[in-house]
Amino acid sequence: MKKILAAHDGSKASDKAVKSALELATQFKAALTVISVIPELYLTELVEMDRVRILDAMTADTKKTLARIRAKAEGVSPLKTIIKYGRPAEEILAEAVRMKADIIVAGSHGRHGAGKFFMGSVSSKLVDHAQCSVLVVK
Ligand SMILES: Nc1ncnc2c1ncn2[C@@H]1O[C@H](COP(=O)(O)OP(=O)(O)OP(=O)(O)O)[C@@H](O)[C@H]1O
Ligand SMILES: [Mg+2]
């Protein structure tokens, strides 16, 4: 196992997933990339200015979170972080193919987690469609 892709959405569950991914990366001396996807805003009533403002705020927030993750990982494992925009599962899957990831690590639930289902819709799509293995962290 050489390349690990961990998905982070700002939730506690994804913190746990990144922690497990870091442990795996250390054990296997693998390269770890953490991806965070900022979802597209489909709200049609938003005027363009609001849309840009909200996306800017979300980007700033995500950058801070990823910087915090990099700081925590310092000295443990070399870690790359990336931000993408669009549909979370699709972007994560595309990145896994692009970087030829051996495994995707995600939380069982995320920010919206009602906990009603066994898994959230993003982790479920990753398990269904990934070409590589997927570790769903509980
Ligand atoms: N926008 C995102 N960017 C990166 N990873 C994400 C993103 N959304 C979800 N994930 C990954 O998928 C895991 C599961 O989240 P998911 O979104 O499937 O569950 P949820 O938020 O509880 O439910 P919902 O299906 O309502 O979104 C997260 O812990 C995280 O690892
Ligand atoms: Mg979600």
Side-chain angles (χ1 to χ4, degrees), residues 5-9 14 33-38 82 84-101 103-107 121-123 125-127 129-132 134:
L5 179 64
H8 196 272
D9 68 346
S14 66
T33 301
V34 178
I35 183 171
S36 197
V37 184
I38 297 178
I82 48 179
K84 294 272 172 173
Y85 297 85
R87 295 161 172 257
E90 281 76 357
E91 291 299 326
I92 296 163
L93 289 164
E95 181 57 28
V97 170
R98 200 200 58 74
M99 68 176 266
K100 299 192 175 73
I103 191 166
I104 300 172
V105 183
S121 62
V122 175
S123 35
K125 275 187 197 163
L126 296 178
V127 170
H129 301 295
Q131 292 171 16
C132 62
V134 179

Side-chain angles (χ1 to χ4, degrees), residues 1-101:
M1 187 154 50
K2 290 277 164 267
K3 292 175 180 176
I4 302 172
L5 179 64
H8 196 272
D9 68 346
S11 65
K12 283 260 158 60
S14 66
D15 277 343
K16 253 179 109 176
V18 167
K19 194 165 170 256
S20 296
L22 258 173
E23 284 169 13
L24 277 179
T26 310
Q27 288 290 329
F28 285 89
K29 295 186 172 44
L32 174 60
T33 301
V34 178
I35 183 171
S36 197
V37 184
I38 297 178
E40 255 168 54
L41 301 168
Y42 291 112
L43 306 167
T44 45
E45 64 269 28
L46 279 182
V47 288
E48 196 50 31
M49 212 172 66
D50 290 339
R51 191 189 302 276
V52 170
R53 216 176 273 156
I54 294 169
L55 278 178
D56 279 353
M58 288 171 99
T59 303
D61 204 51
T62 305
K63 277 186 179 162
K64 260 189 223 155
T65 305
L66 291 178
R68 202 190 68 218
I69 290 173
R70 283 198 305 272
K72 258 197 197 155
E74 213 175 328
V76 184
S77 180
L79 185 155
K80 192 181 144 192
T81 58
I82 48 179
I83 296 180
K84 294 272 172 173
Y85 297 85
R87 295 161 172 257
E90 281 76 357
E91 291 299 326
I92 296 163
L93 289 164
E95 181 57 28
V97 170
R98 200 200 58 74
M99 68 176 266
K100 299 192 175 73

